[in-house]
């Protein structure tokens, strides 16, 4: 019996921990699928995969090609998990919500009653907005050209929590800084969805200012655990997944 093929879909996948995580999980093959935007429709229709994770820049772009979408993904407006249906169609889901909520809990970052700046307006930003809102926080999305942007970000100097959902500071451009945290004297916590490097310039500065910090590794592992359950119907061994990452990458 041939192994089922799963994988990660993105435009540029120079480095990903996902194959190491899934190699520790089950008897299936996990590939990286780098797909140009123009090739996305044909890949989704004819790609040789049983299920797939979706990352930048396709979390919203895949939605028109789905035959089914979960309530969570529909509410958020973003998809990070695809399952190939028996008729060849695709079902979209969002496991990032669960992973991001875990990430905040692990760091004991409480957002209820807090003003939370969310850097970026892509698919991951939609997830952060949903979690913050559901937990009683007030999300403010900072984008490059929206009403709240990097030119007028100083109007939000009273922010309590800052969440980076952009790729700014991600490997290999590790010297890039998402925002200067000294502009936010009330800020007590910083969360970065980036996990490579484990401590971005953004998080290093947050630590130097005495803020609570957390990177995206816990989110990655826990959303992958839910991926595994959706694909196989089995519970994922989170401890084994985390240990596999630590052993392979020295995290």
């Amino acid at each position: 019996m041939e192994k089922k093929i799963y994988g990660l879909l993105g435009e540029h996948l120079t480095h990903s921990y996902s194959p190491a995580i899934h190699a520790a999980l089950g008897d299936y093959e996990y590939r990286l699928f780098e797909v140009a935007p123009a090739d996305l429709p044909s890949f989704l229709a004819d790609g040789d995969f049983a299920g797939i994770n979706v990352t930048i820049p396709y979390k919203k772009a895949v939605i028109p090609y789905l035959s089914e979408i979960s309530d969570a993904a529909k509410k958020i407006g973003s998809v990070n998990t695809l399952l190939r249906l028996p008729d060849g169609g695709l079902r979209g889901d969002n496991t990032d919500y669960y992973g991001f909520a875990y990430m905040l809990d692990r760091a004991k970052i409480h957002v209820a009653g807090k003003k939370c700046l969310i850097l970026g307006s892509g698919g991951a930003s939609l997830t952060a907005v949903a979690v913050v809102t559901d937990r009683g926080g007030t999300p403010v999305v900072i984008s490059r050209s929206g009403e709240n942007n990097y030119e007028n970000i100083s109007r939000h100097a009273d922010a309590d929590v800052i969440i980076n959902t952009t790729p700014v500071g991600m490997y290999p451009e590790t010297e890039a800084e998402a925002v200067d945290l000294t502009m936010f004297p009330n800020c007590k916590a910083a969360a970065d969805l980036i996990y490579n490097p484990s401590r971005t310039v953004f998080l290093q500065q947050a630590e130097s200012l005495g803020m609570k910090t957390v990177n995206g590794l816990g989110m990655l592992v826990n959303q992958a655990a839910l991926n595994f359950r959706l694909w196989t119907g089995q519970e994922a061994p989170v401890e084994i997944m985390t240990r596999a990452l630590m052993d392979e990458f020295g995290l």
Side-chain angles (χ1 to χ4, degrees), residues 200-223:
T200 57
V201 172
F202 173 73
L203 291 185
Q204 291 176 48
Q205 186 184 34
E207 290 172 0
S208 73
L209 294 171
M211 300 179 190
K212 288 183 180 180
T213 63
V214 64
N215 68 18
L217 184 60
M219 178 176 175
L220 174 72
V221 171
N222 281 270
Q223 63 88 14

Side-chain angles (χ1 to χ4, degrees), residues 109 161-162 181 187-192 202-203 206 211-214:
I109 294 176
V161 178
I162 300 181
L181 292 173
C187 189
K188 299 296 188 292
D192 198 333
F202 173 73
L203 291 185
M211 300 179 190
K212 288 183 180 180
T213 63
V214 64

Side-chain angles (χ1 to χ4, degrees), residues 170-191:
M170 185 169 64
Y171 179 88
E173 305 295 334
T174 57
E175 298 304 313
E177 185 176 34
V179 73
D180 181 3
L181 292 173
T182 61
M183 299 169 61
F184 307 95
N186 293 336
C187 189
K188 299 296 188 292

Side-chain angles (χ1 to χ4, degrees):
M1 181 176 177
E2 289 188 10
K3 288 185 177 182
K4 289 187 176 181
I5 297 172
Y6 298 93
L8 176 65
L9 166 66
E11 185 176 6
H12 302 293
L13 302 173
T14 56
H15 185 82
S16 172
Y17 292 167
S18 294
I21 293 175
H22 288 277
L25 284 178
D27 188 25
Y28 54 77
E29 186 176 348
Y30 192 93
R31 300 177 182 175
L32 298 181
F33 295 100
E34 286 195 348
V35 176
D39 298 327
L40 182 64
S42 60
F43 173 79
L44 293 175
D46 304 320
D48 183 19
F49 59 85
I52 204 162
N53 296 130
V54 183
T55 190
I56 297 170
Y58 296 131
K59 290 187 177 186
K60 291 187 281 188
V62 299
I63 292 176
Y65 304 99
L66 305 178
S67 50
E68 293 183 16
I69 185 168
S70 72
D71 290 341
K74 188 180 298 183
K75 175 184 175 182
I76 295 169
S78 173
V79 166
N80 82 314
T81 303
L82 300 179
L83 175 67
R84 182 75 74 188
L85 299 172
D87 65 1
L90 293 171
R91 174 180 170 82
D93 211 326
N94 190 303
T95 63
D96 280 342
Y97 183 102
Y98 170 81
F100 182 67
Y102 171 89
M103 176 179 163
L104 294 182
D105 290 343
R106 181 183 179 190
K108 296 181 171 58
I109 294 176
H110 305 294
V111 299
K114 308 291 187 182
K115 181 175 184 176
C116 302
L117 291 196
I118 299 174
L119 308 180
S121 56
S125 172
L126 296 174
T127 299
V129 167
V131 173
V132 168
T133 301
D134 288 350
R135 292 188 168 202
T138 302
V140 177
V141 175
I142 305 297
S143 62
R144 283 177 291 195
S145 58
E147 177 185 355
N148 297 297
N149 56 66
Y150 294 95
E151 297 299 319
N152 62 29
I153 196 171
S154 60
R155 68 168 70 166
H156 301 294
D158 59 340
D160 301 294
V161 178
I162 300 181
I163 301 162
N164 179 38
T165 73
T166 78
V168 177
M170 185 169 64
Y171 179 88
E173 305 295 334
T174 57
E175 298 304 313
E177 185 176 34
V179 73
D180 181 3
L181 292 173
T182 61
M183 299 169 61
F184 307 95
N186 293 336
C187 189
K188 299 296 188 292
D192 198 333
L193 271 61
I194 293 171
Y195 52 84
N196 182 24
S198 60
R199 292 171 68 250
T200 57
V201 172
F202 173 73
L203 291 185
Q204 291 176 48
Q205 186 184 34
E207 290 172 0
S208 73
L209 294 171
M211 300 179 190
K212 288 183 180 180
T213 63
V214 64
N215 68 18
L217 184 60
M219 178 176 175
L220 174 72
V221 171
N222 281 270
Q223 63 88 14
L226 187 50
N227 290 155
F228 181 79
R229 188 197 310 168
L230 292 170
W231 290 339
T232 69
Q234 303 172 36
E235 291 298 321
V238 174
E239 290 185 7
I240 292 175
M241 297 159 64
T242 304
R243 195 177 311 122
L245 281 178
M246 295 176 70
D247 289 346
E248 181 149 346
F249 299 105
L251 301 175

